[in-house]
Amino acid sequence: MDLDASVSILKGFGKKRVDALEKENIKTIKDLISFFPSRYEDRTKIGSFENRDHDITIRATILKKGSIRFINSKRNFIIFSVKDDHGNLGEIIFFNQPYLINQLKPDETYYFYGRVNSDKKLPRIYSPKFASIEETEFLTITPIYKKISGVPPALIQKTIPEILGKIKIDDFLPEKYKSNNRIIDLNQMYHLLHQPVQTKDIYIASNRLKLNEALKINAGITFLKNEKLVTDLVINNFNVLKPFIKKLPFELTDSQKWVLRDILRDLESGFLMNRMIQGDVGSGKTIIAIICAYLFCLNGLQVAYMAPTEILAKQHFETFKEYFKDYNFNIELLVGSQNKVETERIREGLRNGTINIVIGTHSLFQENTDFYNLGLIVTDEQHRFGVKQRGQLENKGQAHILVMSATPIPRTLALTFYGDLDLSVIDQMPLGRKKVKTSVHSIKKLNKILKFTEQEIKLGHQAFIVCPFIEESEELKEVISVDKAYREIKKKYGKHFRIESLHSKLSNDEQEKIIDRFNNGEIDLLIATSIIEVGINVPNVSVIIILSADRFGLSQLHQLRGRTGRSSIQSYCFLLSDNQNEITRERLSIIANCHDGQKIAEADLKLRGPGEYFGFQQSGFNSLRFINPLKDKKVFEQAKDLIEEIFKSKKAEDMICKDYLIKEFNNESKYITLD
Ligand code: ADP
Ligand code: MG
């Protein structure tokens, strides 16, 4: 059987099912066997009605014929009275399956697998899986796969072991590494993940799966890192910077000066710069980019600045124009919403060198944009782009690279995913900044908080209210939407403040106008979605109120809070939530008490687990589901050592392995983003 063959050659996989699988990115046999269980049902351990805290198998005898109860004309359930083999009485309930009455017979003994519920007088199991006592194959560890609509789970459960019985997967990892490090064979890994016999098997096999992933990432990053490129784009006339920096409206912090020094050292080194600036929200990264842009323009080189969203691109466009208003630089904006003529005009200007600085979204680089003499590429909010996208843009030509991240990235992750970049950290806030006073409240307090906000606005300050959704939804009645908040607050305060709402359903034009007006102080209170999370820089904002704060990630809350506290005025962040879940309360209290983006990110990762943290597309980096960069440090270290050995070696098997891993990294890494 060819691993690359389409799943359509398999028995039972007709067109409809093949299409449904394709939606999950399962196209080939290899994809199908790499569709790993999302969890396992361990039916091997037999307990009793006394085991209450997890799913369990019990052996129980039916005491008498089941009886049926009707909930209404369409819904019913049947109850069986049973006794488990420890002598405990209990009940088994099935909903809407009246035919089971005759299937489960009095005085017969069955296995039931499910969770014991003890809300009623007798312990109950609702809708258990069951089998008769002779069917000992019921007592296995059963893999449970994510449901794919249109494909029966049983088909997947049956087909994967059949395939595995017929094929042997060649392991990309040379034998010697496995025997030396007690790493299981790839073939065995597939078998154990899909057909584990003991719980231990899952553990051993998923370790190999994690290792595979760590190997790919490490190989890819090492490959990128080793590609230090010699360049003749050497810049060393740094004296021109002094007067420019002197003229800035503020003095650079020591941290900013150090970062700048790192950059200048790169620029005169004769190698292309490949540097990341990490600095918490509001630490002042933009000015570094502006100073660099100035230097490149004076050296007759073009600068491209890449932002993750159009709004942000426009903001930066305005900022750049403001800083360079006394200079004769030609600065342009290139974003998706421009018309063809406009886009072509700008492309032409970039080609013939009449444009010095271009600011845009990543679409700027994805299509055929050519430059006359590009010298510097700046990528802002790096964590929002995939690793692969970064590669794409670096291929754009011989240019120095500067990436900036507001770093909700824990150090461990940064080292893994950005190990190819040199790192400079801004670990100091501009002078005179006050910590944003942050507190958690019940939603009932909103009126009081609005009263407080009114006072702030009277002092001439501005405020944000952030809601998780634009419109109300039936399912989530308790969550206040932008629409609803806008309607109600406008009704109450519309006479006193100038209130507007901002969200992605407005056209780009409308969004831009509102942001402009907010920037100019023509709006007092802006009610928005998390659209304002990055980049909005209005130092006059002193209040941010976040409704249903539990619906946001911690790093996102930190970013949102970072929209305030951007000057020397005291700012306030109010987190409103009625969610009483223990972990939720803990998460919110972390934000209230901690102002360090790094620490918040680490805490977030611990509480959430990596799957959510990465926000990867389910379809892509399947294996990332298994790895937790904090918990699995050992695996990461093992991978790092192995990659070092493999990359050093000149043996054919090692070189094949290396090429394979780099290829896999390139295929998969486009799915990794650290958002
Ligand atoms: P971020 O690092 O989040 O991108 P910005 O670059 O937007 O932060 O800077 C936030 C604000 O701080 C801006 O208004 C900027 O002008 C201001 N700023 C930057 N550096 C300094 C400094 N050294 N002293 C005072 N204000 C500064
Ligand atoms: Mg910024």
Side-chain angles (χ1 to χ4, degrees):
M1 194 183 284
D2 178 6
L3 280 177
D4 291 322
S6 157
V7 286
S8 63
I9 65 164
L10 297 167
K11 217 171 120 213
F13 287 67
K15 170 126 186 26
K16 271 200 184 135
R17 288 175 182 170
V18 170
D19 288 348
L21 287 167
E22 181 155 357
K23 282 205 192 101
E24 296 288 326
N25 252 334
I26 301 170
K27 295 172 197 155
T28 63
I29 307 268
K30 171 103 189 276
D31 295 336
L32 184 62
I33 60 169
S34 304
F35 181 62
F36 297 113
S38 53
R39 61 185 180 88
Y40 298 87
E41 275 179 11
D42 182 359
R43 301 188 200 138
T44 57
K45 294 185 189 67
I46 297 182
S48 76
F49 273 118
E50 279 159 4
N51 300 94
R52 306 251 154 114
D53 46 348
H54 55 88
D55 289 356
I56 189 95
T57 306
I58 62 165
R59 207 164 18 206
T61 307
I62 307 273
L63 296 178
K64 59 178 200 279
K65 193 169 175 336
S67 64
I68 188 158
R69 311 268 165 86
F70 288 90
I71 302 167
N72 55 38
S73 62
K74 288 210 184 84
R75 305 191 56 223
N76 58 65
F77 62 94
I78 41 177
I79 299 190
F80 292 97
S81 299
V82 300
K83 188 191 228 172
D84 72 19
D85 57 6
H86 290 64
N88 302 302
L89 292 177
E91 289 170 332
I92 302 288
I93 316 273
F94 295 97
F95 290 98
N96 303 318
Q97 288 168 286
Y99 51 88
L100 289 179
I101 273 202
N102 298 320
Q103 213 167 314
L104 291 162
K105 299 197 173 73
D107 300 327
E108 302 263 320
T109 303
Y110 299 87
Y111 297 117
F112 295 98
Y113 177 80
R115 184 166 302 209
V116 178
N117 179 307
S118 49
D119 292 348
K120 295 274 172 4
K121 210 159 78 197
L122 285 176
R124 289 179 156 189
I125 302 181
Y126 290 99
S127 313
K129 295 193 173 145
F130 67 93
S132 81
I133 189 104
E134 293 86 42
E135 292 177 60
T136 46
E137 66 270 23
F138 182 79
L139 302 178
T140 52
I141 298 180
T142 310
I144 307 293
Y145 297 87
K146 193 186 128 204
K147 282 212 175 68
I148 298 178
S149 106
V151 186
L155 181 67
I156 292 192
Q157 250 162 2
K158 179 171 117 335
T159 309
I160 293 179
E162 277 173 14
I163 301 171
L164 290 177
K166 285 184 206 155
I167 55 163
K168 176 161 184 333
I169 298 150
D170 290 328
D171 199 339
F172 61 86
L173 194 63
E175 206 52 55
K176 58 176 183 235
Y177 298 117
K178 287 184 281 187
S179 43
N180 289 348
N181 298 290
R182 296 216 215 147
I183 296 166
I184 62 162
D185 180 73
L186 192 63
N187 209 47
Q188 202 188 354
M189 177 197 92
Y190 277 95
H191 279 279
L192 292 183
L193 283 175
H194 290 295
Q195 298 168 287
V197 179
Q198 326 167 40
T199 330
K200 201 172 85 199
D201 295 343
I202 303 169
Y203 174 76
I204 297 172
S206 57
N207 259 350
R208 173 69 212 261
L209 192 60
K210 289 173 187 173
L211 180 70
N212 288 354
E213 171 162 84
L215 285 170
K216 284 175 205 172
I217 295 169
N218 258 295
I221 296 290
T222 307
F223 172 71
L224 288 174
K225 189 171 181 77
N226 289 349
E227 274 198 315
K228 242 187 173 1
L229 298 173
V230 177
T231 180
D232 47 16
L233 282 180
V234 177
I235 297 180
N236 48 24
N237 55 332
F238 302 142
N239 280 335
V240 296
L241 285 179
K242 278 202 179 121
F244 182 75
I245 293 174
K246 241 199 172 114
K247 264 176 59 185
L248 293 175
F250 44 73
E251 162 128 27
L252 294 180
T253 60
D254 286 343
S255 240
Q256 285 169 320
K257 286 181 192 161
W258 279 113
V259 170
L260 204 54
R261 246 165 256 165
D262 289 344
I263 293 171
L264 299 183
R265 207 170 300 133
D266 291 344
L267 297 181
E268 61 182 357
S269 71
F271 292 101
L272 281 180
M273 171 168 70
N274 199 14
R275 182 168 294 280
M276 175 187 246
I277 305 181
Q278 269 186 1
D280 217 338
V281 273
S283 62
K285 295 181 289 293
T286 317
I287 195 65
I288 302 289
I290 286 173
I291 294 169
C292 292
Y294 177 77
L295 183 63
F296 276 83
C297 286
L298 286 194
N299 280 276
L301 295 164
Q302 291 172 302
V303 175
Y305 189 105
M306 184 164 115
T309 64
E310 242 183 87
I311 295 190
L312 205 50
K314 282 173 185 155
Q315 279 243 327
H316 283 301
F317 178 56
E318 296 302 327
T319 309
F320 272 68
K321 279 201 304 201
E322 177 62 26
Y323 273 103
F324 292 132
K325 63 177 188 285
D326 299 333
Y327 301 88
N328 212 358
F329 302 150
N330 187 3
I331 307 172
E332 291 283 0
L333 180 73
L334 183 55
V335 289
S337 64
Q338 282 158 326
N339 65 36
K340 258 202 160 139
V341 180
E342 184 73 357
T343 310
E344 210 17 72
R345 182 183 66 77
I346 296 166
R347 291 238 156 98
E348 179 54 32
L350 292 173
R351 261 196 302 275
N352 65 26
T354 50
I355 295 174
N356 305 103
I357 300 174
V358 63
I359 295 169
T361 49
H362 55 267
S363 62
L364 167 68
F365 295 93
Q366 274 165 353
E367 287 140 41
N368 47 348
T369 309
D370 296 313
F371 290 84
Y372 180 71
N373 57 359
L374 183 60
L376 173 69
I377 300 172
V378 183
T379 312
D380 196 9
E381 306 294 344
Q382 170 62 49
H383 59 282
R384 306 193 134 237
F385 296 103
V387 177
K388 182 73 180 304
Q389 270 167 315
R390 192 169 86 221
Q392 260 174 8
L393 133 164
E394 283 166 21
N395 290 339
K396 204 64 214 175
Q398 282 244 321
H400 293 288
I401 311 262
L402 196 57
V403 303
M404 310 204 288
S405 177
T407 15
I409 308 166
R411 199 75 76 210
T412 35
L413 283 187
L415 285 176
T416 306
F417 291 92
Y418 299 114
D420 58 319
L421 302 175
D422 298 315
L423 183 69
S424 297
V425 181
I426 306 185
D427 52 8
Q428 198 177 20
M429 284 290 170
L431 214 66
R433 293 282 167 83
K434 298 194 176 72
K435 267 187 192 152
V436 181
K437 286 193 177 155
T438 308
S439 48
V440 185
H441 304 270
S442 150
I443 194 85
K444 287 197 295 268
K445 287 277 156 62
L446 180 59
N447 269 326
K448 236 180 160 174
I449 294 168
L450 284 171
K451 285 254 153 60
F452 173 83
T453 307
E454 188 177 6
Q455 295 306 316
E456 283 292 307
I457 291 176
K458 278 187 182 152
L459 289 172
H461 300 156
Q462 289 163 284
F464 287 123
I465 294 182
V466 182
C467 309
F469 305 115
I470 304 174
E471 288 160 356
E472 286 144 283
S473 84
E474 267 304 302
E475 297 101 75
L476 292 165
K477 282 211 173 98
E478 76 282 4
V479 178
I480 301 176
S481 64
V482 171
D483 277 353
K484 187 169 174 200
Y486 178 70
R487 273 198 318 270
E488 297 191 353
I489 295 171
K490 181 116 184 166
K491 207 156 58 186
K492 230 171 151 178
Y493 291 93
K495 282 202 197 94
H496 312 294
F497 327 148
R498 296 161 295 175
I499 306 173
E500 290 294 344
S501 65
L502 179 71
H503 50 74
S504 58
K505 286 227 168 118
L506 298 173
S507 72
N508 276 320
D509 242 21
E510 288 170 302
Q511 289 183 32
E512 206 179 319
K513 278 204 189 104
I514 288 174
I515 290 175
D516 274 351
R517 285 170 53 212
F518 192 77
N519 279 338
N520 296 334
E522 292 161 26
I523 294 171
D524 301 311
L525 174 64
L526 190 60
I527 302 175
T529 53
S530 61
I531 194 164
I532 61 157
E533 176 186 336
V534 283
I536 295 216
N537 181 31
V538 181
N540 192 40
V541 174
S542 70
V543 176
I544 185 164
I545 303 167
I546 302 171
L547 301 179
S548 298
D550 53 292
R551 301 229 146 231
F552 297 93
L554 281 196
S555 295
Q556 204 180 8
L557 289 173
H558 179 62
Q559 288 275 53
L560 285 167
R561 172 170 64 185
R563 297 308 112 210
T564 65
R566 301 194 142 235
S567 69
S568 56
I569 53 179
Q570 178 61 57
S571 301
Y572 303 87
C573 172
F574 297 100
L575 304 167
L576 272 57
S577 166
D578 282 338
N579 190 328
Q580 294 306 328
N581 177 292
E582 211 173 297
I583 291 182
T584 307
R585 301 318 294 181
E586 193 180 332
R587 293 177 69 228
L588 293 178
S589 88
I590 289 173
I591 285 286
N593 297 311
C594 178
H595 290 77
D596 178 334
Q598 231 1 269
K599 287 199 184 118
I600 290 173
E602 299 261 355
D604 204 11
L605 189 61
K606 275 196 190 119
L607 289 175
R608 279 205 290 176
E612 285 173 73
Y613 185 86
F614 281 93
F616 62 88
Q617 288 155 26
Q618 273 297 333
S619 48
F621 220 107
N622 248 330
S623 44
L624 211 54
R625 199 170 58 197
F626 293 87
I627 206 155
N628 181 329
L630 282 187
K631 283 194 197 141
D632 301 322
K633 270 190 189 147
K634 276 218 179 90
V635 180
F636 269 111
E637 271 155 29
Q638 186 177 36
K640 203 163 148 261
D641 294 345
L642 286 174
I643 289 298
E644 220 164 89
E645 233 176 291
I646 293 167
F647 272 53
K648 259 197 294 205
S649 163
K650 290 276 176 289
K651 286 205 187 95
E653 56 173 8
D654 288 324
M655 283 159 79
I656 293 169
C657 173
K658 170 179 155 184
D659 287 347
Y660 170 84
L661 288 170
I662 292 170
K663 205 177 97 221
E664 288 281 302
F665 174 80
N666 281 329
N667 286 341
E668 294 184 15
S669 60
K670 58 175 171 288
Y671 298 110
I672 312 175
T673 68
L674 292 166
D675 198 358

